[in-house]
């Protein structure tokens, strides 16, 4: 029996189905074929951090020549210099990921960090963000309300006075534009300004943007026992200490204990008990949009977990942005959005709102209606495979992750090129449970994990599901184009943000299921950490502005603000189409739906 089990395991390894160093060697071999040394070094660092190779020194030796190609072309450089340059470059990237090269036993001697790595790359990057001329002129384009907020906040920054603000504004009111103007002005004066958001998608929009968890090293689940784990003498602590401005967008999506954690962190680093250590902190958000994720989904739990139920809320100075810049060309649509967001749109006898026929894609059959929606949002999809802006300017929004995968599967089938299916490895955290639950795990599709069967085609759009290296633009929620792929590596380009068009390699990594996902048994899945993103959940789209938005309500929205978020992603009413599946087979109601708004939260936010 033991021999049989070993024999089967060896066969699986040969097929690349189980983790082993051979699969990592093959991953590096595949990536080396592209002859992109810098991307290869980043891939190697990613493998060190996320794949735990058994013998990292041998892996480095095998691929050092391929990783050093860019250094070989330099004049008067010796083989020893090239060797050290590669090691220092690896170290720089590891530092940006919060690790150090000496942890991995790559060489027998300790590596002395480069100047950049001594400060840590993420701190170096923040202190050396180059502000473009276009960004420097953003303040000239602010409307009256934005300019008032801009002047008040900067006055506090430049006279070293404390200030804790909340920028309140509906989707499209120009909050992001205001943040960008503030960040550009402060950075142009040589000061540190930190841009953070609750979601990875929103982080990719802000210059130098990072998720709050990534920037401040918060754990995913923060409880009352949380304590700061940033060393006071670290480069990150020094960076936070020197920050003149901290911006936190989409704070309405964050639980109150995250706000408490930031307050505690700043007080600890600055050795003071003053609120947020007396720094100028700008929160922004819209409580008409989706709220923090809570397991029960009950209104009272949303209210209890929200920042609104925290004493800090009453100490924040409120600055209002009411003019909707996104829908300026369509004022009636703007008014409609506010009625939806505030829960004031009229309802019928079934407590549903009636959707205008101009938005509706009629429900005929599931297939016919979806095909109509696809043709509107993604016309001539087969001819647009080389047009990345076409793919990133439109999306289909759906309530639940399971439905998202169904739509993505339908659209990838229509996308040109040959498909390749990548099968994951699912392993229970407790080894004794593996044989009993393995087949069951393959059927699970948690929101935070990639699918068990991942179908990709060349030039298809994908979304990253983990913070692989936020300093290099690889955040949870980053959208990429899958340029090419092999069995163990994806070659991709970042689609937007500061790192737009940057080439990256993505390996398979092991991802643990989250405690928040209500799974019957904890497990880890080894797979490329991406999902297709022709379609995404409504919650994932928060913070984005898109040219064309399709909304597929296979089931009604189930949480506060979801319908408002979906509708407010578009610039005008002509850019939205909605497909509503009738509630029952014998019902032809494809034009009305529920709109969930917790009035208590809206009223408290407006106080």
């Amino acid at each position: 029996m033991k021999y049989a089990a070993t024999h089967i395991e060896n066969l699986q390894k040969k097929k690349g189905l189980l983790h082993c160093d051979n699969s990592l060697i093959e991953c590096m071999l595949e990536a080396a074929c592209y002859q992109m040394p810098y991307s290869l070094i980043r891939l190697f660092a990613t493998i060190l951090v996320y794949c735990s190779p058994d013998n990292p020194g041998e892996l480095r030796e095998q691929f050092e020549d391929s990783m050093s190609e860019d250094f070989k072309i330099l004049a008067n450089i010796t083989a020893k210099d090239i060797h050290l340059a590669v090691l220092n470059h690896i170290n720089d990237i590891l530092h940006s990921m919060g690790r150090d090269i000496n942890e991995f036993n790559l060489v027998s001697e300790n590596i002395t960090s480069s100047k950049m790595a001594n400060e840590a790359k993420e701190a170096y990057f923040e202190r050396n963000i180059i502000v473009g001329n276009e960004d420097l002129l953003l303040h000239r384009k602010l409307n009256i309300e934005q300019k008032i907020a801009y002047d008040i906040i900067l006055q506090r920054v430049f006279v070293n006075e404390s200030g804790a603000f909340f920028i309140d504004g509906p989707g499209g009111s120009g909050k992001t534009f205001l943040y960008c103007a503030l960040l550009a002005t402060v950075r142009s004066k040589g000061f540190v300004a930190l841009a953070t958001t609750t979601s990875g998608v929103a982080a990719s929009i802000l210059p130098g943007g990072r998720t709050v968890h990534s920037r401040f090293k918060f754990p995913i689940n923060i409880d009352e026992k949380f304590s700061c784990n940033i060393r006071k003498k670290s480069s990150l602590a020094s960076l936070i200490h020197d920050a003149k401005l901290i911006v936190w967008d989409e704070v309405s999506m964050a639980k109150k204990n995250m706000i408490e954690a930031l307050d505690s962190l700043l007080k600890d680093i600055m050795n003071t008990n003053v609120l947020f250590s007396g720094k100028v902190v700008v929160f922004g958000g819209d409580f008409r949009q989706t709220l923090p994720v809570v397991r029960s989904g009950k209104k009272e739990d949303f209210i209890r977990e929200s920042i609104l139920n925290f004493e800090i809320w009453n100490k924040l100075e409120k600055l209002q942005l009411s003019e909707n810049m996104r829908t300026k060309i369509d004022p009636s649509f703007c008014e409609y959005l506010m009625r939806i967001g505030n829960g004031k749109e009229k309802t019928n006898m079934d407590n549903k709102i009636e959707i205008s026929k101009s938005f509706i894609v009629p429900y005929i059959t599931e297939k016919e209606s979806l095909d109509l929606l696809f043709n509107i949002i993604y016309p001539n999809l087969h001819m647009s495979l080389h047009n990345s802006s076409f793919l990133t300017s439109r999306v289909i929004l759906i309530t639940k992750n399971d439905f998202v995968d169904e739509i993505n599967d339908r659209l990838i089938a229509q996308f040109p090129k040959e498909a390749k299916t990548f099968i994951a490895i699912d392993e229970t955290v407790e080894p004794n449970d593996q044989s009993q639950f393995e087949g069951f795990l393959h059927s699970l599709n948690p929101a935070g994990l990639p699918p068990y069967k991942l179908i990709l085609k060349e030039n298809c759009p994908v979304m990253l599901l983990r913070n692989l290296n936020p300093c290099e633009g690889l955040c949870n929620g980053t959208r990429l184009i899958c340029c090419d792929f092999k069995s163990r590596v994806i070659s991709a380009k970042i689609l937007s943000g500061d790192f737009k068009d940057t080439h990256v390699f993505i390996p398979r990594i092991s991802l643990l299921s989250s405690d928040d996902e209500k799974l019957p048994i904890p497990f880890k899945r080894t797979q490329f950490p991406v999902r297709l993103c022709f379609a995404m959940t409504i919650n994932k789209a928060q913070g984005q502005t898109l040219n064309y938005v399709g909304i597929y309500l296979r089931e009604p929205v189930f949480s506060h603000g979801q319908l408002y978020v979906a509708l407010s992603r578009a610039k005008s009413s002509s850019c939205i189409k909605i497909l509503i599946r009738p509630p029952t087979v014998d019902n032809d109601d494809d034009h009305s739906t529920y709109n969930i708004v917790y009035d208590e939260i809206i009223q408290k936010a407006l106080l």
Side-chain angles (χ1 to χ4, degrees):
M1 290 293 291
K2 184 176 180 181
Y3 168 79
T6 304
H7 178 65
I8 291 171
E9 183 172 318
N10 287 335
L11 286 176
Q12 288 177 317
K13 283 185 177 181
K14 286 179 181 179
K15 293 179 181 179
L17 296 178
L18 289 178
H19 167 76
C20 62
D21 270 18
N22 281 344
S23 68
L24 299 180
I25 291 171
E26 289 174 20
C27 174
M28 290 290 290
L29 279 170
E30 290 176 353
C33 293
Y34 292 97
Q35 297 184 329
M36 296 181 176
Y38 182 73
S39 298
L40 189 64
I41 291 174
R42 282 190 299 202
L43 172 63
F44 180 73
T46 302
I47 286 173
L48 290 179
V49 173
Y50 291 100
C51 302
S52 303
D54 295 329
N55 199 325
E58 285 187 9
L59 192 64
R60 176 200 60 77
E61 287 179 6
Q62 185 169 347
F63 293 97
E64 182 167 307
D65 190 58
S66 297
M67 291 190 284
S68 65
E69 291 296 332
D70 284 346
F71 301 108
K72 292 177 183 177
I73 62 174
L74 300 176
N76 302 318
I77 189 167
T78 66
K80 183 178 180 181
D81 290 337
I82 293 173
H83 171 72
L84 290 174
V86 171
L87 291 175
N88 280 326
H89 203 158
I90 293 169
N91 203 15
D92 288 342
I93 296 171
L94 288 171
H95 271 263
S96 75
M97 301 166 78
R99 305 294 294 272
D100 183 89
I101 195 169
N102 296 310
E103 299 175 38
F104 299 97
N105 300 316
L106 292 187
V107 290
S108 57
E109 73 277 10
N110 276 358
I111 303 299
T112 303
S113 298
S114 67
K115 181 179 179 181
M116 182 185 294
N118 276 330
E119 191 176 8
K121 190 176 182 183
E122 61 177 303
Y124 180 92
F125 174 78
E126 286 289 348
R127 294 181 187 276
N128 293 274
I129 291 177
I130 297 174
V131 181
N133 292 330
E134 187 175 337
D135 288 342
L136 281 174
L137 299 177
L138 290 177
H139 69 278
R140 297 183 182 181
K141 301 177 181 179
L142 299 174
N143 63 29
I144 294 174
E145 291 175 331
Q146 290 170 326
K147 188 65 165 61
I148 290 172
Y150 173 88
D151 289 339
I152 291 173
I153 293 166
L154 286 186
Q155 192 271 337
R156 301 287 181 89
V157 170
F158 293 135
V159 299
N160 291 319
E161 289 186 5
S162 62
F165 301 93
F166 179 76
I167 306 296
D168 180 30
S173 59
K175 296 188 294 296
T176 301
F177 195 89
L178 171 62
Y179 305 145
C180 290
L182 288 167
L183 293 166
T185 300
V186 173
R187 288 166 174 166
S188 70
K189 304 295 183 183
F191 297 123
V192 173
L194 303 180
T196 66
T197 69
T198 304
S199 72
V201 175
S204 68
I205 298 171
L206 290 178
R210 298 276 293 276
T211 63
V212 175
H213 289 95
S214 170
R215 164 55 61 216
F216 299 117
K217 309 306 177 189
F218 292 160
I220 296 299
N221 298 310
I222 297 176
D223 56 27
E224 63 276 2
K225 297 178 182 178
F226 168 79
S227 61
C228 171
N229 60 358
I230 298 176
R231 291 180 297 104
K232 285 193 174 183
K233 292 185 179 181
S234 68
S235 57
L236 179 55
S238 174
L239 179 75
I240 296 170
H241 181 281
D242 294 345
K244 283 281 191 179
L245 173 68
I246 297 174
V247 172
W248 183 343
D249 192 18
E250 303 290 4
V251 76
S252 53
M253 295 174 66
K255 293 182 180 180
K256 64 177 184 179
N257 56 10
M258 289 179 63
I259 315 299
E260 294 172 326
L262 177 64
D263 185 40
S264 298
L265 172 64
L266 295 178
K267 286 176 178 177
D268 184 53
I269 288 176
M270 303 300 293
N271 290 314
T272 179
N273 286 321
V274 178
L275 181 67
F276 298 117
S277 73
K279 289 188 178 294
V280 178
V281 180
V282 177
F283 298 104
D286 178 8
F287 286 93
R288 301 170 190 85
Q289 300 189 36
T290 54
L291 298 173
V293 175
V294 295
R295 288 194 175 189
S296 70
K298 295 179 180 178
K299 175 172 63 176
E300 55 269 26
D301 290 333
F302 280 116
I303 295 172
R304 184 176 62 251
E305 295 289 351
S306 170
I307 181 182
L308 292 168
N309 196 38
F310 181 43
E311 62 178 348
I312 284 180
W313 173 254
N314 295 324
K315 298 178 183 178
L316 300 180
E317 298 178 52
K318 315 301 190 300
L319 299 172
Q320 183 74 37
L321 301 182
S322 58
E323 184 179 355
N324 196 316
M325 306 299 289
R326 188 182 293 162
T327 57
K328 210 170 183 180
I329 59 174
D330 194 346
S332 62
F333 180 51
C334 179
E335 293 171 6
Y336 176 70
L337 288 179
M338 292 305 292
R339 293 197 302 273
I340 296 291
N342 290 325
K344 302 301 182 184
E345 182 69 0
K346 291 180 181 179
T347 57
N348 59 23
M349 294 176 59
D350 296 320
N351 202 32
K352 295 181 177 181
I353 63 169
E354 300 283 342
I355 305 294
S356 169
K357 286 185 178 180
S358 62
F359 292 138
I360 293 295
V361 173
Y363 190 87
I364 310 164
T365 66
E366 190 85 358
K367 183 182 185 307
E368 289 177 288
S369 299
L370 281 172
D371 285 342
L372 283 173
L373 182 65
F374 296 163
N375 289 333
I376 294 169
I377 304 303
Y378 290 106
N380 301 316
L381 186 59
H382 64 286
M383 298 177 62
S384 306
L385 69 163
H386 296 297
N387 187 347
S388 60
S389 61
F390 172 89
L391 294 170
T392 56
S393 64
R394 54 195 72 217
V395 76
I396 294 173
L397 301 179
I398 307 173
T399 52
K400 294 183 178 180
N401 199 63
D402 288 345
F403 305 158
V404 166
D405 289 328
E406 286 187 31
I407 299 307
N408 278 324
D409 287 345
R410 286 176 181 247
L411 282 165
I412 195 65
Q414 296 182 18
F415 202 68
K417 300 285 187 176
E418 182 179 351
K420 183 163 183 177
T421 301
F422 299 94
I423 305 298
I425 306 165
D426 289 338
E427 300 169 273
T428 55
V429 173
E430 175 52 57
N432 292 335
D433 294 332
Q434 182 70 18
S435 60
Q436 181 182 355
F437 291 102
E438 184 172 4
F440 171 67
L441 297 180
H442 299 340
S443 68
L444 297 179
N445 198 14
L449 297 184
Y452 173 67
K453 290 184 178 180
L454 176 65
I455 301 172
L456 298 178
K457 290 183 179 180
E458 184 182 338
N459 293 318
C460 69
V462 295
M463 177 180 289
L464 194 62
L465 300 177
R466 280 295 186 274
N467 289 322
L468 290 186
N469 190 350
C471 281
E472 305 257 350
L474 294 177
C475 297
N476 183 355
T478 297
R479 298 176 78 185
L480 310 106
I481 284 290
C482 178
C483 303
D484 192 19
F485 45 75
K486 298 186 185 296
S487 296
R488 293 170 181 82
V489 72
I490 292 175
S491 168
K493 283 189 177 179
I494 297 174
L495 284 176
S496 60
D498 285 354
F499 295 90
K500 182 178 180 181
D501 294 329
T502 298
H503 179 269
V504 296
F505 288 128
I506 300 174
R508 294 176 186 256
I509 64 174
S510 295
L511 301 163
L512 281 170
S513 57
S514 168
D515 292 339
D516 286 336
E517 289 165 348
K518 297 183 182 178
L519 297 175
I521 185 167
F523 75 104
K524 69 176 180 179
R525 175 167 288 170
T526 302
Q527 177 64 287
F528 293 116
V530 299
R531 282 182 181 270
L532 290 166
C533 63
F534 295 105
M536 66 176 72
T537 60
I538 292 170
N539 292 24
K540 274 286 189 182
Q542 193 157 320
Q544 297 189 68
T545 301
L546 298 154
N547 291 341
Y548 296 94
V549 176
I551 303 171
Y552 174 41
L553 296 179
R554 180 170 172 177
E555 289 182 0
V557 296
F558 57 87
S559 183
H560 168 90
Q562 281 185 316
L563 185 61
Y564 169 76
V565 168
L567 290 167
S568 60
R569 297 311 91 204
K571 298 176 182 177
S572 72
S573 57
S574 62
C575 301
I576 292 179
K577 288 297 177 183
I578 306 172
L579 173 59
I580 301 174
R581 186 184 193 179
T584 60
V585 175
D586 57 353
N587 188 319
D588 61 356
D589 179 10
D590 64 357
H591 55 276
S592 70
T593 191
Y594 293 107
N595 178 34
I596 300 176
V597 177
Y598 297 152
D599 189 61
E600 295 93 327
I601 288 179
I602 299 297
Q603 293 306 315
K604 191 164 186 177
L606 295 176
L607 290 178

